[in-house]
Amino acid sequence: MESVADYLTALPQNQEFFDTLLDKLTLFRGQGNKEWDLMPSVMRNREDYLNEELYIKECIRQYPEEFINMSKIDMLIKMQHYGVPTRLLDLTKNPLIALYFACVSEPNKDGVVYAISGPVARSSDLYVNAITECVFNHKSHGNMYIKKCSLKIDGVDLSEDSVKSIINSETPIIFEASLTNARIKNQNGYFAIYRGEKNCKEIKFQHKIFVKKECKEQIIHQLSMIA
């Protein structure tokens, strides 16, 4: 596609994509380079993955006042927007926001917008919180694990086996962020939280639209006229 008009036309004309819009909530992600993996920042290289827990603890140590009275998932979201590598992948309900992110970086590369359709949890979901609890407190040598104990989350006791089954699945969980952050509100913010080990699978997508590199600047200008 070469323009915003092309992009908007492409969405309903593809019948497979149109069906997903009818059946489920469809979210979008724009990436400046079509060759990039559909992976969160902490899983793009081994060094960041191995140091995930250290990054979190160092961020809290340096800015303790920023994380007072926050749930762990909200803390992780905030760290994500501060540039800390996390296992969160930003998604949006607004296809134009995704298009912007596909164009705003990597001017010499073709971009891409992914459409991702599926069930959406809340940030307070038990599974989301179990994963986050393990990221903060139970990660060592690049492996997610429980130190021979159960977890109690929101009054629910989870056995060691139950927690391991949650965190070792290859399927990311899509969830809606709590709207406590103005940036999240502006971006119609949703996230996918990846679980499992470094070799976990990418989130599944239903459709993708490529953006020509030579048209990125023009598309950004067109989007600025719409906003």
Side-chain angles (χ1 to χ4, degrees):
M1 51 148 285
E2 300 179 5
S3 68
V4 174
D6 288 345
Y7 179 69
L8 295 176
T9 301
L11 299 182
Q13 281 189 345
N14 183 287
Q15 188 60 44
E16 180 183 355
F17 177 58
F18 185 67
D19 289 342
T20 67
L21 288 174
L22 291 175
D23 296 336
K24 300 175 183 177
L25 177 61
T26 297
L27 301 171
F28 302 88
R29 176 172 174 83
Q31 298 191 161
N33 187 339
K34 69 178 183 181
E35 302 300 329
W36 287 344
D37 293 335
L38 200 54
M39 282 285 184
S41 55
V42 84
M43 292 183 167
R44 291 175 192 160
N45 67 73
R46 182 166 177 76
E47 181 180 356
D48 284 342
Y49 182 77
L50 292 174
N51 289 296
E52 179 182 20
E53 187 179 356
L54 295 177
Y55 293 155
I56 289 171
K57 289 180 177 179
E58 180 62 19
C59 187
I60 295 172
R61 187 190 69 80
Q62 290 191 26
Y63 309 103
E65 69 284 353
E66 294 289 329
F67 302 102
I68 297 173
N69 297 324
M70 293 181 70
S71 68
K72 286 188 172 68
I73 190 61
D74 285 340
M75 291 169 69
L76 205 61
I77 290 170
K78 194 165 193 175
M79 291 175 188
Q80 165 95 341
H81 289 295
Y82 279 174
V84 177
T86 75
R87 61 180 57 236
L88 298 176
L89 191 72
D90 290 81
L91 305 171
T92 178
K93 192 165 62 174
N94 188 328
L96 294 179
I97 291 175
L99 178 60
Y100 172 80
F101 281 110
C103 295
V104 75
S105 65
E106 300 291 320
N108 297 318
K109 300 288 185 179
D110 290 345
V112 62
V113 174
Y114 293 94
I116 299 162
S117 180
V120 177
R122 299 281 184 183
S123 60
S124 58
D125 180 82
L126 181 66
Y127 279 29
V128 173
N129 279 285
I131 297 165
T132 311
E133 182 71 28
C134 293
V135 169
F136 272 72
N137 298 308
H138 299 282
K139 188 155 185 273
S140 177
H141 306 298
N143 296 306
M144 297 277 283
Y145 75 109
I146 299 300
K147 298 177 182 176
K148 298 188 185 233
C149 65
S150 61
L151 284 181
K152 188 166 188 174
I153 299 175
D154 295 332
V156 178
D157 289 310
L158 295 175
S159 68
E160 181 182 354
D161 287 342
S162 295
V163 177
K164 283 183 177 179
S165 70
I166 292 171
I167 64 176
N168 288 327
S169 171
E170 295 177 333
T171 307
I173 298 175
I174 299 173
F175 68 94
E176 182 179 10
S178 59
L179 299 180
T180 56
N181 181 298
R183 182 174 178 180
I184 293 173
K185 289 181 183 178
N186 292 337
Q187 293 182 9
N188 292 262
Y190 293 76
F191 295 89
I193 185 166
Y194 280 59
R195 43 190 174 162
E197 303 303 330
K198 178 69 172 64
N199 59 351
C200 71
K201 294 181 180 178
E202 294 182 353
I203 193 169
K204 292 182 180 179
F205 62 89
Q206 279 66 43
H207 192 83
K208 59 183 176 181
I209 301 171
F210 295 113
V211 183
K212 290 184 177 180
K213 59 188 177 184
E214 57 268 24
C215 300
K216 285 186 175 182
E217 185 175 350
Q218 169 186 302
I219 291 170
I220 291 175
H221 176 70
Q222 292 172 352
L223 288 171
S224 71
M225 301 294 288
I226 295 172

